[in-house]
Amino acid sequence: MKKILSLFSAALTLFLIFGLGSLVIAEPPSSDPVEDWRKWEPPPPKEAPQIIYEKGCQVSTIAGKGEKGLKDGPALSSLFYKPIRLSQKRDGTIVVADIYNNAIRTVGRDGSVTTMCGTGKLGSTDGPAKSSPLSHPHAVAVGLDGKVYIGEASGRKLRVIDLSGNLLTLAGSGEKGYQDGKGNEALFNTILSIAVDLEGNILACDIANNRIRKITTDGLVTTIAGSGAWGYKDGKASEAEFLMPMDLCVDKKGNIYIADIGNHCIRKIDSHNIVTTIAGKAGVVGYVDGEGSNALFYQPHGIAVNEQGEIFVADMLNHAIRKITPAGLVTTLAGTREIGSKDGEGKDARFNRPGGVMVYRDGSLIVADIDNNTVRKIAFK
């Protein structure tokens, strides 16, 4: 086990340079650094997928032409460059973290895409949101206060767009490390996702620290789960081990669900601060629908939960969107292991590395289809 973790730690060094699927910590060179990381991904499972499709799922593309670039305008003519995480405003506007464009984009209900923050260039300075640069925004969440919170992967800061349209730094100095504290006293390694808890605090997956952090709206950072060790261990939150927690969400009871991408499973932190595994088998790659640990994932990248307690997972390397019922049954809504870009019925639809997934206010799902450079929608009949 120690040898495996040692090899994984070595691979992480390349991960932090080149990126994990969608993550990039440096300006993309002429060749897409995503390709450089792929040789470090687990090999695809040899076993054929065992899929249980949900009926009545319809996939459509709502934004993005399918080409990389930075272009605002009518949604289906707009251009993104690796859209990765999603949130929504109270009026239904979709907010997109567009990581390679170093920008936060919006998809309005009027069918138009605009850039609300970032210049397209790499940087991390405060100022008016539309003219201030970002440093690979990999995380975004609209707070209970209406402010837009942004997690910078390479900037190692939590930023916020206030109600006056200014971009500010809430926590983190930009230096890589691990330290709790307030404002720039706190240190992060790599923030890849954020979510809002029931009290309006920001929860963050600090992936390379293998910890879940909490940031209050006045910038106080604490650690709520993860010992920092690389591995897999359930139990008391402070002693639990993760292997690159990639995304998280919060249900109406305050439970936190985590897509543990390195362990290929879905974890839960309950109200008693106990970590459990609710689906998937740690360290085992596959595509199997079924109950609990009988189900298999292949690098779960995004996670969301609805009012009914149903959990939705963007299973990145299976190129599919999966569902976990409150009873623990895993099924597939859309996609399969085959890469593509196709709208239609769930079993016929195709994705190319789905990343962020979000429950929209009408109950449908919004998906950031990373390598297709599009934003997709799954509606339920």
Side-chain angles (χ1 to χ4, degrees), residues 277-312:
T277 300
I278 64 169
K281 189 175 296 184
V284 181
V285 169
Y287 191 158
V288 177
D289 284 334
E291 295 185 359
S293 60
N294 293 321
L296 297 179
F297 298 87
Y298 189 10
Q299 292 202 339
H301 195 289
I303 193 166
V305 61
N306 66 12
E307 288 291 315
Q308 291 73 43
E310 296 172 322
I311 299 165
F312 304 97

Side-chain angles (χ1 to χ4, degrees), residues 185-312:
E185 296 175 355
L187 298 179
F188 301 95
N189 194 312
T190 311
I191 302 173
L192 292 197
S193 66
I194 56 177
V196 181
D197 72 11
L198 301 184
E199 297 176 348
N201 301 302
I202 307 302
L203 305 179
C205 283
D206 191 356
I207 185 172
N209 279 324
N210 289 301
R211 290 179 168 102
I212 307 302
R213 318 286 293 275
K214 181 173 80 171
I215 306 96
T216 63
T217 53
D218 62 353
L220 179 62
V221 180
T222 55
T223 299
I224 63 170
S227 68
W230 294 79
Y232 170 79
K233 181 181 178 182
D234 284 339
K236 190 176 179 181
S238 61
E239 300 173 358
E241 295 176 3
F242 300 93
L243 197 56
M244 302 194 302
M246 176 59 75
D247 195 14
L248 76 171
C249 63
V250 182
D251 71 12
K252 64 181 181 181
K253 296 180 180 179
N255 298 305
I256 302 168
Y257 300 94
I258 300 161
D260 189 346
I261 196 169
N263 280 316
H264 310 285
C265 58
I266 306 303
R267 318 285 292 277
K268 175 183 176 180
I269 307 173
D270 67 17
S271 59
H272 300 291
N273 293 317
I274 299 298
V275 176
T276 56
T277 300
I278 64 169
K281 189 175 296 184
V284 181
V285 169
Y287 191 158
V288 177
D289 284 334
E291 295 185 359
S293 60
N294 293 321
L296 297 179
F297 298 87
Y298 189 10
Q299 292 202 339
H301 195 289
I303 193 166
V305 61
N306 66 12
E307 288 291 315
Q308 291 73 43
E310 296 172 322
I311 299 165
F312 304 97

